[in-house]
Amino acid sequence: MKENVLYNKAYAFAIRVVRAYQYLGQEKREFILAKQLLRSGTSIGAISDAEFSSKLSIAYKECLETKYWTDLLKDTDYIDEKQHRSLFSDADELGKMLFSSIRTVRGIKTDK
């Protein structure tokens, strides 16, 4: 496995998303929203080193989409508040890391 904090977190999150997908299908019989969550949540870390800089913004957008799907699943009672908070928190952390990486790669300075 790669020794990259962002990659490792994204991979661990993808495992959680796959498990959430399995739960939603088996326990809740929800397939459409679960498939959307699976697609966006597992694609966050699926970028190679060769295309890293060009794919960061796509991964960031997938992360935002994953947060949307977790909100929707919570608000339609497919997952409870605790499940939502856990998934959303991880996606939010990944999003912040991705955004920071985008700023670094593009040489954008922050006004602090």
Side-chain angles (χ1 to χ4, degrees), residues 8-53:
N8 291 340
K9 284 188 178 288
Y11 188 81
F13 183 69
I15 291 170
R16 292 194 62 214
V17 166
V18 169
R19 291 188 178 137
Y21 172 78
Q22 292 168 331
Y23 164 79
L24 289 165
Q26 293 168 359
E27 301 294 323
K28 299 292 187 170
R29 308 296 296 162
E30 166 41 52
F31 302 103
I32 296 175
L33 296 176
K35 185 73 169 190
Q36 294 288 354
L37 176 70
L38 180 70
R39 187 191 59 72
S40 64
T42 57
S43 68
I44 295 168
I47 55 176
S48 70
D49 289 338
E51 56 188 13
F52 183 72
S53 64

Side-chain angles (χ1 to χ4, degrees), residues 2-106:
K2 296 181 182 182
E3 293 302 320
N4 177 305
V5 175
L6 178 57
Y7 174 86
N8 291 340
K9 284 188 178 288
Y11 188 81
F13 183 69
I15 291 170
R16 292 194 62 214
V17 166
V18 169
R19 291 188 178 137
Y21 172 78
Q22 292 168 331
Y23 164 79
L24 289 165
Q26 293 168 359
E27 301 294 323
K28 299 292 187 170
R29 308 296 296 162
E30 166 41 52
F31 302 103
I32 296 175
L33 296 176
K35 185 73 169 190
Q36 294 288 354
L37 176 70
L38 180 70
R39 187 191 59 72
S40 64
T42 57
S43 68
I44 295 168
I47 55 176
S48 70
D49 289 338
E51 56 188 13
F52 183 72
S53 64
S54 65
K55 297 290 184 169
L56 276 174
S57 62
I58 293 170
Y60 179 71
K61 290 174 186 173
E62 293 291 346
C63 196
L64 294 177
E65 184 178 329
T66 301
K67 289 167 57 175
Y68 170 83
W69 294 121
T70 58
D71 281 345
L72 189 59
L73 286 163
K74 178 186 66 80
D75 292 340
T76 54
D77 301 320
Y78 282 108
I79 60 175
D80 63 29
E81 182 65 38
K82 183 179 177 184
Q83 293 166 316
H84 172 266
R85 187 173 35 253
S86 179
L87 281 170
F88 191 93
S89 175
D90 283 356
D92 194 48
E93 181 181 1
L94 278 168
K96 289 174 183 175
M97 292 174 73
L98 286 163
F99 187 74
S100 177
S101 294
I102 291 167
R103 293 178 70 84
T104 299
V105 167
R106 294 183 182 165

